Amino acid sequence: MEKLPKDPTVIPQGFTGKASAALGRRVFLRYLGATAAAGVALNACKSEIAEPLATGSARAGEAIDLGDIGSKDVNVLNYAYALEQLEAAFYTHVVMNPYMGMNGYEKAILMDIRDHEIAHRELFKAALGSAAIPGLTPNFSSINFNSRESVLGTARVFEAVGVSAYNGAGKYITTPDYLVLAGKIVSVEARHTAIISEMLHPQTMSFAGDDIVAAASGLGEARMPEEVLALVRPYVQEIINGKNGGHA
Amino acid sequence: MNLQNILNEIEKVDADVFERLDHVSRRHVFHNFLKKAVTGVAPVAFGAILNKAYAQSSTVTDVLNFALTLEYLEAEFYNIGLASPGLITGMEGWNTFQQIAKHENAHVALLKTALGGAAISKPKFDFSAKGAYPDTFSNYKTFMALSQAFEDTGVRAYKGQAANLMSAPDILTVALQIHSVEAMHAAKVRYLGGSRGWIMGAMGMPSAVYAGEDMRVQGGVDVVNLTGLGTEQVTGAFDEPLTKEQVLAIATPFLA
């Protein structure tokens, strides 16, 4: 009697599970597909949106190398710091430029999420001190900030990718306190995923939908750093590089 | 043993397995399978990994049995709730609790298979908690309140055990993957009940479920002072762990 919601982000079965060296790209395309279906203007003008909030100390086009993310905790923390910078910049922009029809309750939720991401970003920055990567400059030119569907569709991707990044990188952490700290953050990102999903697809199963939680095992997604970086690279003007742990 | 067959078998159970495995290609998965046990997401693979690699570790077995206890509790709670006529009302409620029940039952199956003969049996539960909640399955508000308490406890319980799984990275990854799903459940159930999806301060019932959630110091840094953000926002930004003892104190009244 299970009824699946009509969810544009659900991937057709035939699209998955095939051997492919281009899987990372395919997953990316799947997300692009998801956001496109959610109304993201993929062909929005190429010119970059002026981002007044960028704390960017790095320069557009500059390469930022996170190194082998499995080799030391500082690399994992910088990886997390990069993702939190992106999320914080995104929600800051969303709150400053509300999409058409954003009501007070939605704004309160998005402001909460913005503040959470700022708290995460600032904590990583403080913890890393002089070891921190530079402030990144976002590139949100593909996002239509006037469109509720575009904004929430992008938010859902950012949150889901963030959760999968923490899930995948947890095993690299060698200091128990850092692992617990990452755990304290990832569950909040998962809470964001659920609530953003609910805003996007109200009253459905999307909050923990079959596109982000495997139905057979009940497991959420886990992604390796290289795949995550490929997904977020289009949203950052610097070129962020990093390797999965265990590279020879 | 034919590894390719095993992979194909897993794929039958979980079509997304190759994407959910944290590797970029089947070849890579295969390579890792040969190198060492890979993080399986299907029960059969996960079980094989545990039995081969970690059967000797009582710490890992204990953590997984602890997790299994909580998953038994959650699964039975939702199974009874969904089978109680007139309890869950509205499409949103059905969609929410069916999806959650599906995951909790899957977690039970996954952990049972992983533990094999070491798995504990399902305890007998008393969802009235010795009479404290006499209308759990007849009053939707009570049911939702307990659902929220169980989900928020589950999130805190897995988080509290993460450090005990550091010696078993593949198991740790699976535990994190469950942990994040419990958090999605918790957020949705909170939202359904009219709350925000996150825990702001140490407010909530039963109070033991939320003890310590008002923490504003993280990694030795007072994040309110660091950022100038509100205390509610800062405490909402971080979920706190619970020890095994704290979790058992919360769960024990629900054991018959």
Side-chain angles (χ1 to χ4, degrees):
Chain A
M1 120 133 226
E2 181 173 309
K3 227 173 29 184
L4 279 176
K6 277 212 181 322
D7 182 345
T9 61
V10 169
I11 344 124
Q13 285 297 315
F15 199 42
T16 60
K18 280 284 220 174
S20 167
L23 184 56
R25 179 176 145 74
R26 228 179 55 214
V27 171
F28 180 49
L29 290 176
R30 158 183 156 195
Y31 272 105
L32 280 183
T35 50
V40 171
L42 286 173
N43 294 320
C45 61
K46 289 277 183 219
S47 64
E48 281 137 5
I49 292 172
E51 178 49 68
L53 293 146
T55 47
S57 48
R59 275 192 296 268
E62 183 178 319
I64 293 173
D65 192 359
L66 298 168
D68 177 342
I69 290 165
S71 68
K72 49 185 176 179
D73 285 353
V74 68
N75 293 359
V76 183
L77 296 181
N78 262 322
Y79 173 55
Y81 177 44
L83 297 174
E84 298 294 349
Q85 285 192 57
L86 178 66
E87 289 187 308
F90 172 75
Y91 288 107
T92 299
H93 196 97
V94 168
V95 169
M96 284 186 68
N97 305 277
Y99 51 74
M100 273 180 286
M102 184 187 291
N103 64 35
Y105 190 59
E106 290 185 339
K107 184 160 191 177
I109 288 173
L110 292 164
M111 286 175 72
D112 267 4
I113 298 179
R114 175 200 62 187
D115 289 349
H116 297 166
E117 308 299 4
I118 289 174
H120 299 161
R121 180 191 69 196
E122 292 305 304
L123 181 63
F124 282 122
K125 188 179 180 185
L128 282 157
S130 61
I133 58 166
L136 302 174
T137 320
N139 173 9
F140 295 144
S141 59
S142 63
I143 303 161
N144 178 0
F145 283 95
N146 289 320
S147 157
R148 184 178 186 277
E149 299 286 298
S150 175
V151 168
L152 297 180
T154 305
R156 188 168 191 256
V157 171
F158 283 170
E159 296 295 348
V161 170
V163 169
S164 71
Y166 279 101
N167 282 348
K171 66 180 180 184
Y172 293 145
I173 299 173
T174 62
T175 308
D177 284 351
Y178 289 154
L179 177 62
V180 175
L181 180 61
K184 291 179 180 204
I185 292 173
V186 64
S187 56
V188 173
E189 305 292 353
R191 290 174 187 272
H192 295 168
T193 308
I195 298 305
I196 294 286
S197 300
E198 182 63 26
M199 291 166 71
L200 198 54
H201 307 294
Q203 306 189 2
T204 66
M205 296 174 174
S206 175
F207 69 95
D210 291 354
D211 60 330
I212 51 175
V213 179
S217 59
L219 295 184
E221 298 174 299
R223 286 194 178 82
M224 296 294 273
E226 288 171 17
E227 190 184 343
V228 169
L229 292 174
L231 290 166
V232 303
R233 211 170 275 131
Y235 298 100
V236 182
Q237 294 196 19
E238 293 81 16
I239 300 152
I240 317 178
N241 295 311
K243 280 185 182 162
N244 295 342
H247 271 251
Chain B
M1 181 155 54
N2 184 324
L3 287 170
Q4 189 59 52
N5 284 348
I6 293 173
L7 289 169
N8 291 340
E9 286 303 310
I10 297 170
E11 197 178 7
K12 277 181 206 159
V13 180
D14 182 351
D16 266 355
V17 65
F18 293 109
E19 287 190 6
R20 292 179 194 287
L21 287 171
D22 46 4
H23 306 288
V24 292
S25 72
R26 180 179 294 206
R27 205 165 144 219
H28 195 173
V29 169
F30 199 77
H31 173 72
N32 272 284
F33 227 108
L34 294 171
K35 200 168 65 185
K36 62 174 187 139
V38 74
T39 303
V41 299
V44 58
F46 186 40
I49 290 162
L50 183 83
N51 292 334
K52 275 189 202 151
Y54 305 116
Q56 305 305 313
S57 164
S58 63
T59 304
V60 171
T61 304
D62 286 352
V63 170
L64 293 180
N65 265 322
F66 172 59
L68 177 58
T69 307
L70 297 177
E71 299 290 355
Y72 274 138
L73 181 145
E74 289 183 313
E76 184 155 305
F77 174 75
Y78 293 113
N79 292 343
I80 294 174
L82 286 166
S84 300
L87 175 67
I88 296 167
T89 53
M91 184 191 72
E92 179 172 13
W94 278 100
N95 279 338
T96 299
F97 291 113
Q98 282 188 55
Q99 188 72 343
I100 294 177
K102 181 169 81 180
H103 296 156
E104 308 302 5
N105 284 299
H107 295 162
V108 167
L110 184 73
L111 292 168
K112 272 176 79 175
T113 312
L115 284 157
I120 56 162
S121 313
K122 183 166 72 67
K124 288 202 187 329
F125 295 109
D126 169 13
F127 290 106
S128 79
K130 321 279 187 278
Y133 305 98
D135 56 359
T136 300
F137 297 113
S138 57
N139 182 336
Y140 195 27
K141 282 202 164 74
T142 305
F143 180 78
M144 284 198 287
L146 285 180
S147 167
Q148 178 180 316
F150 291 152
E151 296 296 339
D152 279 333
T153 300
V155 174
R156 302 190 68 176
Y158 275 96
K159 202 186 318 294
Q161 295 306 309
N164 289 331
L165 296 175
M166 291 175 80
S167 63
D170 297 328
I171 305 293
L172 171 63
T173 303
V174 170
L176 290 172
Q177 288 175 281
I178 296 177
H179 169 249
S180 63
V181 173
E182 301 292 345
M184 290 173 187
H185 295 169
K188 176 62 207 268
V189 171
R190 298 178 71 85
Y191 192 86
L192 189 62
S195 304
R196 295 286 165 83
W198 23 94
I199 304 169
M200 301 191 285
M203 300 292 287
M205 291 297 290
S207 57
V209 172
Y210 298 97
E213 283 286 1
D214 52 352
M215 179 77 75
R216 50 189 267 179
V217 176
Q218 301 294 345
V221 178
D222 183 318
V223 184
V224 173
N225 292 345
L226 175 72
T227 59
L229 295 168
T231 305
E232 287 201 326
Q233 281 66 36
V234 166
T235 58
F238 301 91
D239 281 341
E240 300 301 319
L242 285 175
T243 65
K244 190 176 183 178
E245 291 67 32
Q246 288 174 303
V247 173
L248 290 176
I250 292 165
T252 299
F254 296 95
L255 296 171

